[in-house]
Amino acid sequence: MHRNARASLAVATVIAGVFAFWGGWARRWMSDDGLIVLRTVRNLLAGNGPVFNVGERVEANTSTLWQYLITAVAWLTDGRLEDIATALALTFTVLAASLGTYASGRFWQLSFRRALPVIPFGIIIYLALPPARDFATSGLEWGLALFWLAIWWALLVEWATPARRAVPSAGYLLAFWCGLSWLVRPEFALYGGVTGILLIAYPPRKTPGILAAALPVPAAYQIFRMGYYGLLTPHTAVAKSAADSQWGQGWNYMMDFAGPYALWLPVVITAAVLVLLGRRVGGRRLAIVLLVAGCALAHVLYVLRVGGDFMHGRMLLLPLFALLLPVLAVPYNRGMAALATVLIVWATVIVVRSNPVDEDNYQGKNISIVDERDFWTVAVGRERGNPPQYAEDFLGLPMMRHFTEKIAEGREEDAAQATLGLDEDDPELFEWWVRPRIDDSETDLNDLALTAYWINLGMTSMNTPLDVRVLDTVGLATPLAARMPRDLDGRVGHDKQLPEQWQVADTALDLDDLPDWFDIRGAKQARAALRTEDIAELLASSREPMSRERFFKNIRYALGPGRTLQLDDDPSTYLDAATLRAIRNGEDPGLHSDIARIAWPTR
């Protein structure tokens, strides 16, 4: 390769890495959803297993590898978890930008008869977008996901390179990497699966070796997931019901992302460049370009079908990066230089303007799509440009007033539940209340720890000790909530709600001590419904102590009811006439486990 060509490739790689680091570092922050992952990490480090709450086997994180990577680094360094998550995410983002740009430049230099200098191109588009720089940190797995895509592309380039110039084992390395795809994010199975088909097709004689490289790790984890959690997918997929179609909301999500940045301009330029350059390649090289573009577009369609997300731009960042992979760097000529100049002007405008924020969208109960970084900065009472970075920063949220003090009080009193309400002296302020445990040594419900429910699972769980049971109302860590009916008009990803009657039923709370305005009869119906066959088995799949028998029961459950079970939010539908009559007479038939046990010792 010509010296100038090698130098240009190195320069493009460094530029991509430097700007990725600068962009991510300047907008570093921690999201509430990022804190959810860290609760599982805390339990892993404490020896409680990969769970969100002690004694309840729920996989509350979408990315399996992400939680274990943070755990490994925390175990080695004993660093603060928020710092580790932020540093890891940013490191992976920088590596993804650098390696992806390098692989793209190498691809084009190998595709022409003589190696041409290359210049950064598609990476300018990606890093200009504010949400791309926001989710370079945030505590979520986006950096890891970008890194997986970049390595995937780099291995594809090696696989498509003539044997005398490529890594000899590139095909098998690529197969192994594809096997990890859905452990990074479930939808990455699209990329890994389609690539696996391509590897088997070129040539079929290598099929046994490709399968041997790709399948053992994901297959082993899938068996573990079914036996340990009783599910085929992460629990978040059950909560978010990704099987349903919401094309209208998905289109709105697309426009919310593309509109503020005039994203049509760089997309049209990228498509034109792909067509122009693609005419110069053939064979395997053309096949991998088509593969990447096809997977990225299918990923976009998937995001649109499920209705997008509630975080501005987040779910479209990964397919956008994938689509840009072949042109993160392009061969230099006057035409490409001119187009790159247009992109630089566009990117400068976007970086200077940033994301236009309408604070009116932050008010009321019908919040749909928001700039999550800016939203939490405002919500917790911090100055613009100074977003939350640690769990305690979220205690400034009005709903978290006195939260840690009340949790400490509840632990000291061995209370049953901590609940959010309004302050008795000032109804404009929020307050947490602790409610006493039922005085009944015979009920298995007293095996349940102090329980706090709140929709924002990260800030509550990371500001409480591990012996407190923290649950959400939308189902990310709560099996009952995850199986509730969807509100088709609800916020995407938060369109399920566990009614208050079910919340208090699944605690050791004395229901007769509830305020008069509460639906006590409905709560007793819900508690009795927990003992019915279908719901009791759902709870046992995550709560019954793990044993060989329970493991194999869970595998059967994962392949059966665990795939399809949906609950009715009206508990009376599960009860016979005699039970309903007993409840009308003031009894609480759901207290005792003579029919089915639903709680096991965790305290």
Side-chain angles (χ1 to χ4, degrees):
M1 189 182 295
H2 193 274
R3 182 180 301 173
N4 289 340
R6 286 198 298 267
S8 69
L9 182 57
V11 169
T13 301
V14 170
I15 288 174
V18 167
F19 277 92
F21 176 81
W22 168 78
W25 180 260
R27 296 178 71 88
R28 65 191 183 281
W29 70 300
M30 175 59 64
S31 68
D32 177 70
D33 282 45
L35 293 175
I36 295 174
V37 181
L38 302 187
R39 170 78 169 200
T40 300
V41 172
R42 287 172 64 200
N43 272 304
L44 280 165
L45 293 171
N48 298 323
V51 300
F52 192 81
N53 288 306
V54 178
E56 298 187 23
R57 297 180 301 275
V58 175
E59 190 177 17
N61 307 308
T62 301
S63 176
T64 300
L65 283 179
W66 183 232
Q67 67 185 23
Y68 287 110
L69 283 169
I70 298 174
T71 302
V73 174
W75 182 75
L76 290 170
T77 65
D78 198 29
R80 178 155 184 171
L81 295 183
E82 292 96 326
D83 291 334
I84 291 171
T86 299
L88 269 180
L90 184 55
T91 299
F92 279 124
T93 300
V94 172
L95 290 174
S98 300
L99 293 173
T101 300
Y102 176 85
S104 182
R106 174 173 162 78
F107 174 78
W108 294 115
Q109 288 184 337
L110 293 171
S111 298
F112 289 80
R113 291 185 178 180
R114 65 185 183 88
L116 298 173
V118 295
I119 55 175
F121 195 81
I123 195 64
I124 299 171
I125 301 171
Y126 185 80
L127 294 178
L129 298 170
R133 288 174 278 129
D134 287 352
F135 289 102
T137 55
S138 84
L140 295 170
E141 70 275 6
W142 257 242
L144 174 63
L146 294 176
F147 179 73
W148 186 91
L149 288 170
I151 297 295
W152 172 67
W153 168 240
L155 290 172
L156 279 170
V157 171
E158 289 300 319
W159 176 81
T161 300
R164 67 182 184 276
R165 305 176 70 181
V167 176
S169 58
Y172 297 117
L173 288 172
L174 179 57
F176 172 79
W177 196 249
C178 288
L180 299 180
S181 58
W182 74 330
L183 299 180
V184 176
R185 281 195 62 83
E187 65 267 33
F188 275 16
L190 164 69
Y191 298 84
V194 174
T195 305
I197 294 171
L198 180 67
L199 292 175
I200 290 172
Y202 286 93
R205 63 182 172 80
K206 291 188 175 181
T207 298
I210 295 299
L211 295 178
L215 294 182
V217 173
Y221 187 80
Q222 184 60 17
I223 293 171
F224 169 77
R225 172 181 278 153
M226 291 190 295
Y228 191 75
Y229 296 111
L231 288 176
L232 287 171
T233 65
H235 191 261
T236 52
V238 179
K240 296 183 179 183
S241 298
D244 294 341
S245 297
Q246 299 185 77
W247 291 101
Q249 290 190 49
W251 180 252
N252 290 338
Y253 185 70
M254 169 74 85
M255 292 299 99
D256 181 80
F257 177 50
Y261 313 119
L263 198 54
W264 60 268
L265 175 62
V267 167
V268 168
I269 291 174
T270 299
V273 168
L274 270 173
V275 171
L276 289 172
L277 293 178
R279 294 166 60 187
R280 303 288 298 272
V281 300
R284 285 192 178 190
R285 291 193 179 115
L286 179 60
I288 66 170
V289 172
L290 294 175
L291 170 72
V292 170
C295 287
L297 291 174
H299 191 173
V300 170
L301 289 176
Y302 168 78
V303 173
L304 297 182
R305 187 182 70 82
V306 300
D309 189 35
F310 61 91
M311 297 188 195
H312 169 71
R314 177 177 68 147
M315 295 304 293
L316 290 169
L317 290 173
L318 300 180
L320 174 64
F321 186 78
L323 188 64
L324 293 172
L325 282 170
V327 292
L328 290 180
V330 296
Y332 172 80
N333 58 42
R334 290 182 179 179
M336 291 300 169
L339 291 175
T341 301
V342 173
L343 288 184
I344 290 172
V345 172
W346 168 84
T348 301
V349 172
I350 297 304
V351 170
V352 171
R353 287 181 64 244
S354 191
N355 177 34
V357 173
D358 183 358
E359 285 193 38
D360 291 340
N361 292 335
Y362 298 167
Q363 307 302 318
K365 296 181 179 180
N366 296 319
I367 299 173
S368 55
I369 304 168
V370 297
D371 180 324
E372 193 82 349
R373 179 178 180 270
D374 189 75
F375 172 80
W376 283 119
T377 303
V378 173
V380 302
R382 297 171 72 88
E383 295 180 0
R384 282 268 168 66
N386 184 27
Q389 297 188 43
Y390 298 100
E392 62 265 27
D393 294 341
F394 287 86
L395 295 176
L397 190 72
M399 282 73 78
M400 295 295 287
R401 177 174 175 259
H402 297 160
F403 175 73
T404 55
E405 297 94 324
K406 289 295 183 178
I407 291 296
E409 177 184 325
R411 293 176 72 216
E412 183 177 350
E413 296 177 359
D414 192 24
Q417 188 179 15
T419 59
L420 180 66
L422 295 176
D423 190 293
E424 293 178 340
D425 298 325
D426 188 344
E428 293 187 359
L429 296 177
F430 292 96
E431 183 61 272
W432 284 84
W433 305 92
V434 292
R435 301 192 182 279
R437 188 174 292 270
I438 191 169
D439 184 16
D440 187 338
S441 60
E442 299 298 320
T443 179
D444 60 337
L445 294 176
N446 268 323
D447 289 327
L448 297 174
L450 170 64
T451 302
Y453 277 96
W454 178 235
I455 186 173
N456 298 118
L457 200 59
M459 65 182 72
T460 47
S461 67
M462 281 298 287
N463 282 296
T464 55
L466 294 179
D467 61 359
V468 177
R469 183 170 171 247
V470 180
L471 298 172
D472 65 321
T473 57
V474 295
L476 298 182
T478 312
L480 288 173
R483 306 284 179 164
M484 285 289 147
R486 293 187 69 181
D487 177 2
L488 296 181
D489 296 323
R491 192 183 190 197
V492 174
H494 286 173
D495 50 12
K496 294 182 178 178
Q497 177 65 28
L498 185 67
E500 289 182 335
Q501 295 89 339
W502 290 91
Q503 293 178 36
V504 298
D506 191 29
T507 70
L509 183 66
D510 187 344
L511 301 183
D512 289 322
D513 281 345
L514 287 167
D516 292 339
W517 54 262
F518 198 94
D519 182 5
I520 297 176
R521 179 180 296 180
K524 290 182 176 180
Q525 291 175 351
R527 181 169 280 177
L530 296 179
R531 306 283 184 187
T532 58
E533 183 178 0
D534 288 346
I535 303 179
E537 182 58 20
L538 168 67
L539 298 178
S541 69
S542 62
R543 295 181 186 174
E544 183 181 326
M546 182 49 60
S547 63
R548 180 187 177 119
E549 181 182 7
R550 183 72 256 174
F551 189 88
F552 287 105
K553 276 185 179 180
N554 274 4
I555 289 178
R556 292 192 293 272
Y557 188 79
L559 296 171
R563 295 184 301 108
T564 58
L565 179 65
Q566 295 293 320
L567 300 182
D568 193 320
D569 54 4
D570 179 2
S572 67
T573 60
Y574 295 95
L575 306 178
D576 57 28
T579 303
L580 291 172
R581 185 164 52 252
I583 292 171
R584 283 196 297 270
N585 291 334
E587 298 178 29
D588 189 355
L591 273 181
H592 300 293
S593 57
D594 51 340
I595 300 175
R597 185 167 191 159
I598 57 172
W600 284 262
T602 60
R603 303 191 300 142

